Amino acid sequence: MPELINPPENRFMTAIQNGETQLGLWLAMTSNIASEVIGGIGYDWLVLDAEHAPNELGGLVQQLQALRGAHSEPVIRATWNDPVLIKRFMDIGFRTILFPYVQNEKEAEAAVSSMRYPPEGIRGVATMHRGCSYGAETGYLQAANERACALVQVETATAVERIDKICDVKNLGGIFIGPSDLAASMNHLGNPSHPDVQAAMKHCVDVCKAKGVPIGTLAPVSADAKRYMDWGFNFVALGAEVALMRNAAIAKLAEFKDA
């Protein structure tokens, strides 16, 4: 018989709860090879995007396999706040889920509930899946809830107005500000740097800091990332692998075309 093992700690969740800075990156290429390459670099968290990237369940399993043993915590950005989808994401091995377009505390409560076994939530129980190493993690059912980290995206003016109530949701893992969608909802489409959008983000981080709730965002521009961390954002994604690849390819070509 193989040695029985217990589920590993969610180091990312522990770190953000302790106020530590966690640097991340978006993975949008739906590639297990790209995920494996990035997984060896040392980012604290990596978002596998199922909302805006064409990720499906089988491909996500391959990417999780490529990230096995990496320092980085794999985070799935869910397609939607749907308990059926969340159950499947958890069963393939995700412990941290980013929920898009959460508008209020009721939706945040639903997100948290979908990740947790009864009596704390509504997650369905299976005992032979990848999330529990196909039964090898004998303590999985007892530890799964405490390893589950629900991050909810506040990305509209409506959600910003409810930020204090959202922060009060029990067992919430953290708030994530989506600057581009927030800008669009405030009639500044394509301009997340607009002063009104920045003021809304600053308001959110101030509320989260006062309530002791971790808060993160996406900041491909380095100056923005540094400013957000100075404000108090403690988990920040520094861009996406597809953009980094494209920008590097453009720069390499320019070396020779402009010579």
Side-chain angles (χ1 to χ4, degrees):
M1 290 288 292
E3 181 182 355
L4 298 176
I5 56 176
N6 290 314
E9 178 188 11
N10 188 334
R11 292 177 299 182
F12 166 77
M13 181 177 70
T14 300
I16 63 174
Q17 288 174 344
N18 291 335
E20 299 173 21
T21 299
Q22 296 286 281
L23 301 177
L25 196 72
W26 234 252
L27 300 182
M29 293 174 65
T30 71
S31 165
N32 58 313
I33 294 176
S35 297
E36 187 175 33
V37 171
I38 300 298
I41 292 174
Y43 284 93
D44 299 304
W45 58 296
L46 297 171
V47 177
L48 282 64
D49 193 357
E51 184 190 15
H52 287 295
N55 266 310
E56 301 296 341
L57 211 63
L60 289 167
V61 170
Q62 293 177 339
Q63 292 173 74
L64 285 173
Q65 290 170 333
L67 290 170
R68 188 175 181 87
H71 167 77
S72 312
E73 172 72 14
V75 179
I76 178 72
R77 179 160 71 170
T79 314
W80 193 244
N81 190 355
D82 179 341
V84 175
L85 291 173
I86 301 311
K87 175 173 57 180
R88 300 190 79 193
F89 290 147
M90 299 287 286
D91 284 353
I92 66 172
F94 287 104
R95 306 175 302 175
T96 305
I97 298 182
L98 179 59
F99 292 82
Y101 205 75
V102 171
Q103 293 283 75
N104 53 55
E105 61 273 21
K106 293 297 183 184
E107 293 180 4
E109 288 169 359
V112 171
S113 178
S114 69
M115 291 186 69
R116 305 177 81 86
Y117 288 129
E120 296 177 18
I122 62 168
R123 180 185 173 191
V125 180
T127 58
M128 192 62 62
H129 53 73
R130 188 177 183 278
C132 65
S133 298
Y134 306 102
E137 293 180 6
T138 55
Y140 180 84
L141 291 177
Q142 291 70 35
N145 283 5
E146 65 186 61
R147 303 286 192 256
C149 182
L151 308 174
V152 299
Q153 281 193 225
V154 169
E155 49 188 343
T156 67
T158 299
V160 170
E161 291 174 359
R162 305 292 298 178
I163 186 70
D164 59 330
K165 299 296 185 183
I166 295 173
C167 282
D168 289 337
V169 170
K170 185 179 179 180
N171 293 320
L172 182 69
I175 300 288
F176 184 90
I177 306 299
S180 294
D181 282 301
L182 179 58
S185 80
M186 297 177 70
N187 296 319
H188 301 300
L189 180 63
N191 186 16
S193 295
H194 190 280
D196 291 347
V197 180
Q198 293 293 295
M201 294 180 67
K202 183 64 165 59
H203 168 70
C204 288
V205 75
D206 289 344
V207 172
C208 287
K209 286 172 66 178
K211 288 182 173 283
V213 175
I215 183 168
T217 192
L218 171 62
V221 177
S222 296
D224 291 340
K226 292 173 182 176
R227 181 173 70 259
Y228 295 152
M229 285 187 279
D230 286 342
W231 285 356
F233 282 89
N234 61 314
F235 60 104
V236 178
L238 303 179
E241 98 281 45
V242 64
L244 294 175
M245 182 187 72
R246 183 176 186 273
N247 292 340
I250 290 171
K252 177 59 67 175
L253 181 61
E255 286 182 30
F256 294 90
K257 281 204 167 186
D258 297 340

